[in-house]
Structures are given as C-alpha cells and as structure tokens.
Amino acid sequence: MAGLSVVVLGGTGFLGRRIGAACAADGARVHLVSRSAPAVPAPAAGPGVSAVGLDLVTASPREIAAVLAAAGADVVVNAAGRAWQADEAQMAAGNAELVERVLAALAALPGPPVRLVQLGTVHEYGAGAPDAATCEEHEPVPVTPYGRTKLQGTRAVLRAREQGVDGVVLRLANVIGAGVPEGSLFGRVAAHLGAAARADARGEKAAELRLPALRAARDLVDARDATAAVLAAITAPAADVAGQVINVGRGTAVPMRELIHRMITLSGLELPVAEAAEGPGSRTDVAWQCLDVSRARRLLGWRPLRSLDDSLRELLASVLPPEHPLRGTPLGITADASAEEGKRS
C-alpha cells in the first residue's frame, strides 16, 4: 500500500479511524474526512494521516470531488453512515443518498478509476438463509430501516460499474471491538460494565443491567479483522473485485444471550441482570444471521483470525478501569454456535 493516497469517509468513526491508522501503518497517505475531523489533533491522527473537515450528509458531489482531487485519491473507503439514534430519513441521507453523491464525485474525477470500498452490512439480507450460511447471491429482503437504506447504497455502487466506477462492497457482519458505539447492544453493555466497575471500586452497589429480549443469533466479526478485510479489498486486483459484494464475518451464528453473559463473566463483575420479555410484535429484526465468507477467502485471501473472547477482551479493556482485571477463560464456555446448532435452536 506504500504511496497510495487513501481517503476514508467517516474517518473519525468506530471503523473509519481504525482503517485510516491501518492504511497509514502500511505506508499509505491517509485523509480522514468527517464533520468532526478538524477537532482531531494532528499528532493523534498519526504520521502520514491528515484530517479534512466536511459534512458529508450535506456536501455536494462537487465538494466531495474537490476533496478527493486535492488528496490525489487512489482509493476511497466509505465508512460513513447512520445506524444509531437516527430515523429512516436520516439513515437514507447517510446510507444511500451520500453514496449516490460519492459515486457522482468519483465519475467526475479525471484520470484512471479510483477504487471505492463501500462498507455494507449483514442487515441488508434480512433473515438470510434459514438452513445455511448466507452467500452473496441470496436475495436481500431487509426488515429494518438501517438494512433497507444500506442496501440502496450497495445497489448504487453495483449500478455504477456501468459508468466505469471501480467499486466493491464489503457486507460486514456485526462488528465488535473497542470503541463500538454506545447505541449498539455491545456498546451499551460495555458502558454499563464500565460504570459498574467504577461503582464497585467506590464500594457502591452496581446498578441493574437491563437488556432487551435476547432471542437472536448473530454473525460477529472483530473490528481488527474487518479492518484487515478492507485493506485486502483496497489492494485486490480490479478484475477480481470490481462490482462484487463480499461477505465479511466469522461464518458462525452467535446466540446473543450467551455472548452478553460471557461478556459479564469476563468483566469479573457481580451485578443484577434483567432481560425483557418478548411480547407479540416486539421483535424488530430477524432471529438468525450467519454469513458464508468463502468468497472473501477466495478473492481477498482473507479469513477471520480473532476469537470472540479476543473481541470482548479488547472492548472490556477500553471501558474498565486499568486496575480492574479481566477473568480468564472458564472451561466449557463458548459463545460460538455452528449453523447446524442454530437450526436446531
């Protein structure tokens, strides 16, 4: 990646900042673009990294193209979007309309095509395949506003190939690791455990952890593994990946109840937990998601390397006080469930 100019849209977010740091460590010149980028101190961005302030939700194709041209972009990674604490109109603006404007900006640039790596989501599939891991040919039927708007962005990238845009979509499983947004289930639980650990250190009783009904099983991928997949997509030959959708996950469905309780066990905290009952019509998402990641192995030479405990430990270490030790791995506990087990559950 030495010498490449990589522009990361949403570059100060959960995945964007990781991707930028990894690209810079691999020798690229990195430009982090986001509304909050001017607030990022230059030393914090790291060597070879610059921060560019631009409100991507309102920026015109001309403004986006000007940033890409000034950076001499060879690659654009779109890690921008809206998932948490947003209504469907806001999600459409951040997940679909922004992609259309980025594609228009790329089409207007002179010179050879700029590689676009678009970060999609497993939620584009909806229920996926009930009897097997879901492959990229599965017809998406998203059931949430997030999934629907992200699918619009994916389809825009695939259509743009006809205009010569060198675009690839990485359809990510649920990403977990330090810095995961507090709007997510994992971020919310992590923040609660951090507060509980600080209360415990003061000799106070931890507040009850209130959880939604945990009936689902989800495919998860470590943030570091997801970042590695992005780097592989950046440098893969266009003949292999242009116009492709590529699943990025662990290829297993993980029961959320077991995973959250595993997270609590690793934290070493004793605290009351209350899980809400699931009433009629209370489910807003699908119960089972598991990705077939064979295309990523074949086209990107990528596979997940981190265990779920690796991911949970990184997340917990980022929120617990430094003096609070994490527990070891008890025998017989695993958060993984194979596709076959998930079908039986």
Side-chain angles (χ1 to χ4, degrees), residues 20-61:
C23 290
D26 211 25
R29 292 178 289 112
V30 175
H31 313 271
L32 307 177
V33 180
S34 76
R35 184 172 52 189
S36 62
V40 178
V49 180
S50 63
V52 181
L54 184 67
D55 187 343
L56 292 165
V57 172
T58 61
S60 67

Side-chain angles (χ1 to χ4, degrees), residues 32-268:
L32 307 177
V33 180
S34 76
R35 184 172 52 189
S36 62
V40 178
V49 180
S50 63
V52 181
L54 184 67
D55 187 343
L56 292 165
V57 172
T58 61
S60 67
R62 184 187 296 272
E63 290 172 312
I64 296 171
V67 168
L68 301 183
D74 300 302
V75 177
V76 174
V77 178
N78 184 19
R82 295 296 300 273
W84 314 109
Q85 299 172 330
D87 59 28
E88 188 154 2
Q90 292 168 323
M91 289 185 188
N95 300 335
E97 296 163 19
L98 169 61
V99 178
E100 296 276 10
R101 286 182 279 111
V102 170
L103 292 168
L106 289 171
L109 293 176
V114 173
R115 166 70 49 84
L116 171 64
V117 180
Q118 166 73 13
L119 302 191
T121 173
V122 63
H123 295 284
E124 295 173 41
Y125 285 123
D131 56 350
T134 303
C135 69
E136 291 84 354
E137 280 75 28
H138 181 85
E139 183 63 29
V141 187
V143 299
T144 63
Y146 179 60
R148 288 191 291 269
T149 55
K150 289 293 285 186
L151 180 60
Q152 291 173 37
T154 289
R155 287 175 169 164
V157 173
L158 300 183
R159 287 194 305 269
R161 190 181 184 190
E162 299 173 2
Q163 283 75 50
V165 173
D166 175 12
V168 56
V169 177
L170 300 185
R171 195 165 270 163
L172 302 179
N174 298 274
V175 183
I176 185 169
V180 65
E182 285 193 22
S184 70
L185 174 63
F186 301 119
R188 203 169 90 205
V189 173
H192 187 97
L193 291 174
R198 291 187 291 274
D200 185 69
R202 296 191 300 267
E204 300 171 2
K205 184 178 178 180
E208 181 180 66
L209 172 59
R210 297 183 179 180
L211 298 171
L214 300 174
R215 303 291 188 268
R218 294 280 182 266
D219 202 330
L220 300 166
V221 65
D222 188 278
R224 293 160 293 186
D225 284 335
T227 298
V230 172
L231 267 63
I234 286 173
T235 56
D240 291 344
V241 301
Q244 295 277 1
V245 174
I246 302 175
N247 288 340
V248 174
R250 296 183 68 252
T252 58
V254 180
M256 290 295 95
R257 180 179 294 113
E258 283 81 351
L259 187 69
I260 295 302
H261 284 281
R262 175 66 179 146
M263 190 173 175
I264 296 168
T265 297
L266 284 173
S267 75

Side-chain angles (χ1 to χ4, degrees), residues 287-307:
W288 166 264
Q289 289 175 332
C290 179
L291 292 177
D292 180 338
V293 294
S294 57
R295 182 178 289 181
R297 289 196 297 269
R298 186 173 71 254
L299 298 184
L300 302 180
W302 174 91
R303 62 185 179 89
L305 299 177
R306 276 88 181 178
S307 71

